[in-house]
Amino acid sequence: MDEIIENIHEAKRITAFTGAGMSVESGIAPFRGKNGLWNEFDPQAFASASAFAEKPERCWKLFKIQIEESFDADPHDGHYSLVELEEHGLNSVITQNIDGLHQKAGNDSVLELHGSLSRLICPSCQNRFKTKSFLEDIYEGYIPRCECGKILKPDVVLFEESLPQDILQQAWKEAENCDLMFSLGTSAVVQPAASIPTMAKRSEAKIVEINLEKTPLTEEVSDHFLKGKVGEKLPELINLL
Ligand code: NAD
Ligand code: ZN
């Protein structure tokens, strides 16, 4: 811990890179592993662009659960620690999560690599809407539609879709420019997002990883590995600053 504290004090520009494990303690199911959504929903059938084009109603079974979970969830101490870390040089949060919890906690700059459940988009006329304004209907089981009649899609990156290039570019720039990166609750296997800590490392940033278990980053990329829950380990660390 002492060495990490020293690294944080020395760092001028800190970035946090977060994955589904960041939200688990807020009650949001990850995709893989225990209680993972993919144990119940086949990703190809429920969360791919082709599935949405053919059977959007079926995809909405999954979207409804994800939207309700996210709107019902509250940030935990780990999220609030990242807000506190802004006073010690945290410049931005790069997240693979689509639940909006970093913004709810109050972080200033959040780069959402996989989009957000807080918006819906029409696949035909590309109009965007606030999910909030359809929330009651969604809870009641209605599937939201655009004025043009098409079923709306959460503004998130589905399988077979590419990441928003402008956000990805910004994330890469952050990775190159930071001198310390936290990698929090991510299995670091989904590309190209998983390459972000590797990129930071190549630009000589220190990498601090917190996860319940080792990942491909742990031995190869991370300078420090804290094994445990991000909602416990991160506040412990920040309290020592
Ligand atoms: P992942 O499911 O592949 O991995 C989650 C990682 O978090 C695992 O390595 C696990 O060991 C770790 N973990 C679980 N609970 C933890 C805790 N309390 N503290 C610390 N670590 C913990 O998720 P990923 O790496 O983000 O990548 C896969 C995809 O999952 C992304 O595409 C993302 O969009 C999507 N996803 C997002 C959400 C969300 O928005 N909350 C939920 C499910 C999936
Ligand atoms: Zn439309």
Side-chain angles (χ1 to χ4, degrees):
M1 283 268 192
D2 287 353
E3 215 177 309
I4 305 177
I5 297 294
E6 208 177 300
N7 289 159
I8 296 175
H9 283 311
E10 281 166 7
K12 293 201 176 61
R13 201 176 168 106
I14 301 174
T15 300
F17 176 58
T18 68
M22 184 83 211
S23 301
V24 167
E25 290 159 83
S26 289
I28 297 179
F31 280 161
R32 298 174 191 77
K34 205 174 109 232
N35 302 322
L37 279 173
W38 295 156
N39 301 334
E40 203 181 325
F41 294 97
D42 168 25
Q44 192 54 41
F46 286 91
S48 68
S50 49
F52 188 80
E54 285 159 31
K55 295 206 167 90
E57 294 91 347
R58 181 166 67 187
C59 297
W60 264 96
K61 287 194 179 128
L62 173 64
F63 299 157
K64 180 178 186 315
I65 294 173
Q66 290 182 301
I67 289 172
E68 289 177 359
E69 267 187 358
S70 299
F71 277 82
D72 288 346
D74 293 314
H76 58 66
D77 289 348
H79 291 102
Y80 291 115
S81 295
L82 286 182
V83 179
E84 223 173 300
L85 199 61
E86 286 183 356
E87 284 163 34
H88 300 273
L90 182 79
N91 197 62
S92 67
V93 179
I94 304 169
T95 189
Q96 302 167 81
N97 299 342
I98 53 179
D99 51 41
L101 284 174
H102 292 300
Q103 289 93 331
K104 239 188 215 176
N107 273 118
D108 258 350
S109 160
V110 183
L111 297 171
E112 295 176 306
L113 291 174
H114 294 159
S116 174
L117 292 166
S118 69
R119 300 179 301 270
L120 301 172
I121 181 166
C122 173
S124 172
C125 59
Q126 305 292 316
N127 273 343
R128 282 189 168 81
F129 304 86
K130 283 209 167 98
T131 307
K132 226 178 173 175
S133 48
F134 290 93
L135 212 52
E136 263 179 50
D137 287 352
I138 293 171
Y139 273 82
E140 281 173 22
Y142 293 104
I143 295 175
R145 285 178 185 269
C146 181
E147 290 129 10
C148 75
K150 280 268 180 207
I151 291 183
L152 294 171
K153 189 196 96 134
D155 196 7
V156 301
V157 178
L158 298 180
F159 288 94
E160 302 161 1
E161 290 180 335
S162 51
L163 270 64
Q165 287 305 305
D166 51 333
I167 307 274
L168 191 59
Q169 297 285 346
Q170 286 179 58
W172 279 336
K173 218 162 140 192
E174 279 298 328
E176 275 175 358
N177 291 337
C178 70
D179 34 38
L180 192 152
M181 179 177 279
F182 282 95
S183 180
L184 306 170
T186 175
S187 59
V189 292
V190 185
Q191 292 295 350
S195 62
I196 284 173
T198 309
M199 230 167 151
K201 175 79 175 181
R202 241 185 272 135
S203 304
E204 290 170 20
K206 296 275 185 222
I207 311 295
V208 180
E209 183 181 17
I210 304 179
N211 199 307
L212 293 179
E213 53 198 44
K214 287 187 177 181
T215 73
L217 295 178
T218 311
E219 311 285 350
E220 302 289 322
V221 177
S222 303
D223 294 280
H224 306 283
F225 176 68
L226 298 177
K227 186 175 162 69
K229 293 183 177 176
V230 65
E232 292 173 5
K233 293 287 168 194
L234 197 56
E236 268 176 42
L237 192 64
I238 302 303
N239 283 337
L240 294 173
L241 286 174

